[in-house]
Amino acid sequence: MAKRIGILTGGGDVPGLNSVIKGVTYRASEAGFEVTGIRRGWEGLTHVNLADPGSRNRYVLGLTRENTRTIDRTGGTFLHSSRTNPVKMKSLPPFLQGQEFPWKEVEKDGKKSITYDVTEQVKKNLKELNVDYLVAIGGDDTLSYAAHLNKAGVPVVAIPKTMDNDVRNTEYCIGFSTAITRAMDAINRQRSTVGSHERIGIFRVFGRDAGYTSLYTAYVTSVRCAIPEYQFNLDKMIDLLVNDKRNNPSNYSLAVLSEGAEWQGYEVQHYGAEDAYGHRKKMNVGEAFSDKVKAATGEETIVSDLTYDLRSGEADFVDKMVASTFAGMAFDCICEGKSGLMTSIVNGCYAMSEIPDPRLGPRKVDIATMYNTDRYRPTYNQKLGLPIFLTKA
Amino acid sequence: MAKRIGILTGGGDVPGLNSVIKGVTYRASEAGFEVTGIRRGWEGLTHVNLADPGSRNRYVLGLTRENTRTIDRTGGTFLHSSRTNPVKMKSLPPFLQGQEFPWKEVEKDGKKSITYDVTEQVKKNLKELNVDYLVAIGGDDTLSYAAHLNKAGVPVVAIPKTMDNDVRNTEYCIGFSTAITRAMDAINRQRSTVGSHERIGIFRVFGRDAGYTSLYTAYVTSVRCAIPEYQFNLDKMIDLLVNDKRNNPSNYSLAVLSEGAEWQGYEVQHYGAEDAYGHRKKMNVGEAFSDKVKAATGEETIVSDLTYDLRSGEADFVDKMVASTFAGMAFDCICEGKSGLMTSIVNGCYAMSEIPDPRLGPRKVDIATMYNTDRYRPTYNQKLGLPIFLTKA
Amino acid sequence: MAKRIGILTGGGDVPGLNSVIKGVTYRASEAGFEVTGIRRGWEGLTHVNLADPGSRNRYVLGLTRENTRTIDRTGGTFLHSSRTNPVKMKSLPPFLQGQEFPWKEVEKDGKKSITYDVTEQVKKNLKELNVDYLVAIGGDDTLSYAAHLNKAGVPVVAIPKTMDNDVRNTEYCIGFSTAITRAMDAINRQRSTVGSHERIGIFRVFGRDAGYTSLYTAYVTSVRCAIPEYQFNLDKMIDLLVNDKRNNPSNYSLAVLSEGAEWQGYEVQHYGAEDAYGHRKKMNVGEAFSDKVKAATGEETIVSDLTYDLRSGEADFVDKMVASTFAGMAFDCICEGKSGLMTSIVNGCYAMSEIPDPRLGPRKVDIATMYNTDRYRPTYNQKLGLPIFLTKA
Amino acid sequence: MAKRIGILTGGGDVPGLNSVIKGVTYRASEAGFEVTGIRRGWEGLTHVNLADPGSRNRYVLGLTRENTRTIDRTGGTFLHSSRTNPVKMKSLPPFLQGQEFPWKEVEKDGKKSITYDVTEQVKKNLKELNVDYLVAIGGDDTLSYAAHLNKAGVPVVAIPKTMDNDVRNTEYCIGFSTAITRAMDAINRQRSTVGSHERIGIFRVFGRDAGYTSLYTAYVTSVRCAIPEYQFNLDKMIDLLVNDKRNNPSNYSLAVLSEGAEWQGYEVQHYGAEDAYGHRKKMNVGEAFSDKVKAATGEETIVSDLTYDLRSGEADFVDKMVASTFAGMAFDCICEGKSGLMTSIVNGCYAMSEIPDPRLGPRKVDIATMYNTDRYRPTYNQKLGLPIFLTKA
């Protein structure tokens, strides 16, 4: 009987995922493998009831050259996604309720709750689906469960994606280049409106823990930036922007901020009513910074939130190239009988690496070589020897 | 001596303004006129101190074929803009302080204040600059002062611009088509991310008083929309979106909301600390609607704010065509010795119209012919006889 | 039994066709009609063998909301197209060979041949398919047969499309705006390469008989143009371009030529070997003009052929708006029991017009109001009273 | 006195050159260097007459933060370019005629001619301009003279650019990524028109000697390709395309050909009249291949020439990133007192390499690892260990 590869995408979507799905399907089908798409990330393996055709239809999709032929021309993920983590389930899927699964008590914000580990169910479903190998594409969360499942006996090959580019053990994650492409385009397009009104333009981009998106956008647009890895001095940043504006014949200036950026003494503000969990909305750092700029200088500002647009649309050249290459590497890895590895770029070259240990947290910008703490912008010197994407795994 | 045309842009910038500036300059210079650019809208005529070279340099710029040759390749306004209204100045410019100008007391939110009318100074400056005719490009505010100044004896020709398309007496304002182009692109690009996560996507666009931007975006993207002219029923809209989502094989649905859209019973929420004027930030209707959707249905949402992006970048084909044509019409109008008129499109054809009376307020979407109050989407039937842009002046 | 509408697209594809197909399908299905897509233009009605499931599958496709939901997001035509004209068939389809059909002898280039009229078969097929009304979308050729078929007793409503915009009785054909959008983008993108090498850039665009595409591209990019309606003077055009180049601080100049443009004394050059019909390739006018420029001036040139790119990709805002509106008008027309009419824009407003008489040939640019024969560029003056697209039906 | 850096761009322009020029100017001016722009490549050093202000103005431009601030937002080269090679000048510049320069007799196509070496003049001009170091940006030709001049005693640092990506000693040349970006976009946009007519689409891209542009475009668009490094079998390629078409539900297929691609037995065809040098135009390989496809299969084809568009417009993210980094490396290199080196990427990392020996000719695609000679498409397997751009220096 033909060998069968399962494939799923977890976490936030990025352009390029469909190139991976297509690439694995094409390579595998040429070599006589079958390919099974698992829909909605790990949820497809925790929630599916294989005895129920409706549920099966909802969560399982056989992949062929025919049904993946055109998917690489759009962003997002053809298999859809979710944030389910099978070792940390807050409740059992309806279909499994009443069954016994390992659980533990966790405490967060002084509140205790229980989480279940349904790995046994995941393994059972994969077995029933005759999946011999699993290709799991995702960011930190998805990858950490991929490693867990591999240790539990299912051969898994992982592929890193995130527009934040903050997965450890690789210098590049699918989606990063397209995110910078979008951010660069948006900022350059909006220059004319910021300039026409002689304002200070503040752009916010995704990046809670790591500043790569903000930093690389700044690198190619020549604007100031703030990143989570370095708390900036509020007065100094404002001074720089006011000076930039004065020196600009069009009398405007720009900065790009990671959503996780902070200044020294910054306190997140909340607003709105409490939701069911007692949480209020956080005021985004772009708006908070804008308030400070206006108060300190009387200058008008524009706050532009570049969020979903950065993950929208078709993958750019680099993301298509890397996605197709990662797909091929994952398949080659399977053919060589290896598993528990992640496709990656290390020192500028394609490599198979360990799936990162989630306890280490996200990869961070190396301030010393990449961020000029004096000028709040990227450094442009001493790049000799660095990999092409300017950062080391 | 050669006749001289002054030109200025007021209010928010839109792509296409530079085509007007270039068009007027080219036509006028070919015909032996001189052209003087007034910078920063009416502020260039209220704040300039013509005796001071620095001030003159800041507010006055001679326009030639050479310095306007490439300006139509970028958005915004080469002459920059401001929101100054010479009949409603909250304080006199520093240079004029101590001088006498007509003033009146106004009351807003129970608070009294004084506003000055510096029209005499505007006229004096225009005379000193030897400006024989003025071309004023802008939205409601700019146009209303254009009419005022024309009555005060300065020959003025007006050109309407606003991406809201809500100026009266014309079916089209420069910037509208580019705004829809951007919104359409953004929504279609973001479909993949809304779909990958099976969410309800909520897009907010500019449009405080009139819903044209929301409505036309919906017309060409086939999504639900809400406009300021019609208070929708919250439950019904949510039902429609949940149904759309269920019927969509990709399991998502979309709506576009004008910033001024409201549902029956809607109350604007405020957040953040009070600013110097005692104002707190308004929660935008997209976020407020998202909260309602989540509370009512448990569905996940994405709120995407399409604001500055809609006025960013280069003008599209229609805006370049109309802008160049309006420029030519304004110049032809001057040559024929007419003034106090506005270039416009009426019944699908180029026309010179009265500058609209500001007391009538912005032009509004005609609900009967354009908005389906049953389905919360544009109507697609009975368009016979309507002008190409589907709306009447 | 429900009424049934057939729909087909003929001739060259343009962006916007899919919005028409979707629009008709949505409107019709909401009103309880069935919709049958005829594939490959009129060929679907001349070549289909309804008794053969394979043939039927090849040429007939039931249209529903489900299978047309996403088609408006891509260019081209979902139903595919061909250049078949049922009254001028050079040979009978294999399936009909041996049957009797009206024929006539035609002579072209001194060579006699026979053409068949298979209208009876077309009618028979439509009857068997239970098609009560036909919506035919196309350019001159498709429309002329639409009129013929309507006279022969099948109720047909026609919708004009062509990026050349040269169909009579309408000021606008679907595809025109997107073509100008693409041409404008390409020319503005290529300025930097023409300029970096200080060359004369020559752009060729489609338009054998009418110069609208060339003229409107020139209107919004401020470059010289040549159109089929006016034979230019070669020396004068070269002088203008050399002068433009000299006056341009970047030392380059640009012209856009319709494929059918000619100078006084121009003779088409041929090249390559004869094909089966004794035809050799025609050298395009862009290359021929480039040779003349180089010979006369020693200047370097760049010839850039903007052909298929002008009809590629997604429809722009205007084409989506007009296409959706035309779809609605066609359906409204059917509901009112009218046929033999074409959706159109007349005097800037949506109208139902006569399908143009093919003997009148394509609509042409009005030199007097649109083309400056002295400067070889569009006129920018005296546009008052013209429809928004600057041309009359 | 401040040190002075000269900078020039030679050969064909690509997007990204302006980021280098700006980058060097910014870094250098911050460090207290002066920067002199040499205009029109090496011509600026062979043809300038420094005693003549007009000539000096034509060829020399002081570069500052102010005049380079916005140049990175457009493609092309702010300094303009030419193909002048100071060691191979066919005639002396007018200003130098009568002076003595080394010359040699060369023979080409049986025709003898003389070329001059004006390096002494180049050195003299650089000395008079007080240029201490020269940054030369270009492809093979420009770089080879850069190496020559360095040996002749002028410290030169070279930066490789070419959208063909075929410079030796580096894996990446500025302009390559943008070229693929443009080609990928054009092909994906044109799919709908090729498909609507059920044709075989043939795309021709630049690349006389090396097939990188064709190969990488094929890699990210999943189409067949032909490259100069491998003569394909005509029948086999046609079979593959006819098969692709048949297997495609939209019934079309695509191939991309380098301009230098050939099939076994291919002979270039010429057409048109002889020019002054006795040369006739070459028929491009796309058209020639199209003729063969039509003759062999009766299928309709579309030939789309993607030439100048590939070097048009703004640089993409990768080209901006690499260009800025190369600029910084060139400046760092100068500060360290090194010269005669070229910025490069080797094994995926930024490096300073030898300027390649022109006698080795262009770098070529490695067929064994990159081109599937059985399927006429890129290989997607065994990429482990390769640098991110899949090719080794």
Side-chain angles (χ1 to χ4, degrees), chain C residues 34-45:
Chain C
E34 309 269 0
V35 185
T36 295
I38 311 294
R39 302 192 70 224
R40 295 178 182 77
W42 297 114
E43 184 187 318
L45 293 172

Side-chain angles (χ1 to χ4, degrees), chain C residues 18-324:
Chain C
N18 287 334
S19 292
V20 182
I21 297 167
K22 176 178 173 176
V24 170
T25 303
Y26 270 51
R27 285 290 311 280
S29 64
E30 280 165 21
F33 286 63
E34 309 269 0
V35 185
T36 295
I38 311 294
R39 302 192 70 224
R40 295 178 182 77
W42 297 114
E43 184 187 318
L45 293 172
T46 56
H47 286 59
V48 69
N49 177 355
L50 290 171
D52 170 3
S55 175
R56 196 179 181 111
N57 195 47
R58 176 170 161 80
Y59 286 118
V60 182
L61 176 66
L63 298 180
T64 61
R65 293 177 75 90
E66 288 66 36
N67 67 10
T68 61
R69 188 177 64 88
T70 65
I71 63 173
D72 57 330
R73 294 178 213 158
T74 41
T77 162
F78 178 61
L79 291 173
H80 289 198
S81 187
S82 71
R83 299 196 182 276
T84 308
N85 187 333
V87 292
K88 293 182 188 169
M89 300 200 62
K90 289 186 176 159
S91 62
L92 291 174
F95 154 66
L96 299 178
Q97 271 167 20
Q99 295 189 30
E100 292 281 317
F101 286 95
W103 56 270
K104 61 178 170 184
E105 205 177 61
V106 293
E107 190 173 330
K108 197 185 170 186
D109 301 338
K111 220 168 152 183
K112 289 181 182 173
S113 63
I114 279 172
T115 64
Y116 300 89
D117 174 357
V118 302
T119 297
E120 283 311 306
Q121 181 69 13
V122 168
K123 288 174 66 178
K124 194 178 143 207
N125 285 332
L126 285 168
K127 192 168 179 191
E128 203 161 326
L129 289 166
N130 294 316
V131 168
D132 302 294
Y133 315 92
L134 187 65
V135 174
I137 317 163
D140 282 332
D141 243 36
T142 306
L143 297 175
S144 76
Y145 187 71
H148 180 91
L149 187 63
N150 188 75
K151 277 182 204 134
V154 178
V156 184
V157 178
I159 297 182
K161 70 86 215 153
T162 161
M163 60 186 203
D164 294 346
N165 207 30
D166 62 356
V167 170
R168 282 179 186 271
N169 300 357
T170 183
E171 291 153 15
Y172 191 84
C173 302
I174 296 168
F176 180 59
S177 180
T178 306
I180 307 297
T181 294
R182 295 279 179 283
M184 179 179 89
D185 287 351
I187 289 178
N188 284 341
R189 263 204 313 270
Q190 293 188 35
R191 282 179 187 279
S192 59
T193 188
V194 183
S196 293
H197 295 279
E198 305 185 357
R199 291 177 179 165
I200 292 175
I202 299 161
F203 294 87
R204 192 183 67 120
V205 295
F206 276 128
R208 196 178 306 273
D209 302 302
Y212 294 101
T213 310
S214 169
L215 188 84
Y216 283 66
T217 300
Y219 197 84
V220 292
T221 57
S222 290
V223 306
R224 307 281 167 189
C225 65
I227 58 176
E229 290 87 347
Y230 185 85
Q231 286 201 331
F232 63 90
N233 177 287
L234 185 62
D235 293 339
K236 187 171 164 181
M237 177 69 98
I238 293 174
D239 271 4
L240 285 167
L241 288 170
V242 169
N243 254 306
D244 286 352
K245 183 171 183 298
R246 195 178 307 134
N247 293 334
N248 181 337
S250 274
N251 199 22
Y252 72 94
S253 60
L254 302 178
V256 56
L257 276 59
S258 297
E259 63 174 325
E262 299 184 352
W263 55 86
Q264 293 150 17
Y266 175 76
E267 281 176 38
V268 177
Q269 294 176 58
H270 296 84
Y271 70 94
E274 292 188 356
D275 69 10
Y277 306 96
H279 297 140
R280 299 173 64 216
K281 287 191 168 66
K282 288 183 190 173
M283 186 189 290
N284 88 48
V285 67
E287 281 199 47
F289 179 63
S290 162
D291 287 352
K292 294 291 184 189
V293 171
K294 283 190 280 193
T297 65
E299 295 283 355
E300 289 183 31
T301 61
I302 280 178
V303 182
S304 205
D305 226 20
L306 306 178
T307 53
Y308 299 107
D309 197 51
L310 266 57
R311 62 191 346 143
S312 73
E314 204 186 343
D316 72 1
F317 159 50
V318 168
D319 274 320
K320 288 199 171 175
M321 178 179 68
V322 174
S324 295

Side-chain angles (χ1 to χ4, degrees), chain D residues 286-324:
Chain D
E287 282 198 46
F289 180 63
S290 162
D291 287 351
K292 293 291 184 188
V293 171
K294 284 190 279 193
T297 66
E299 295 282 356
E300 288 182 31
T301 61
I302 280 178
V303 182
S304 204
D305 226 21
L306 306 177
T307 52
Y308 298 106
D309 197 51
L310 266 57
R311 60 189 352 141
S312 74
E314 205 186 344
D316 72 2
F317 160 48
V318 167
D319 274 321
K320 287 199 173 176
M321 177 179 68
V322 174
S324 296

Side-chain angles (χ1 to χ4, degrees), chain A residues 276-313:
Chain A
Y277 305 97
H279 297 142
R280 298 174 64 217
K281 287 190 170 63
K282 288 182 190 176
M283 187 188 290
N284 88 48
V285 68
E287 282 198 47
F289 180 62
S290 162
D291 286 351
K292 293 292 185 186
V293 171
K294 284 190 280 193
T297 68
E299 296 282 355
E300 288 182 30
T301 61
I302 282 178
V303 181
S304 204
D305 225 20
L306 307 177
T307 53
Y308 299 107
D309 198 51
L310 266 56
R311 62 191 348 142
S312 74

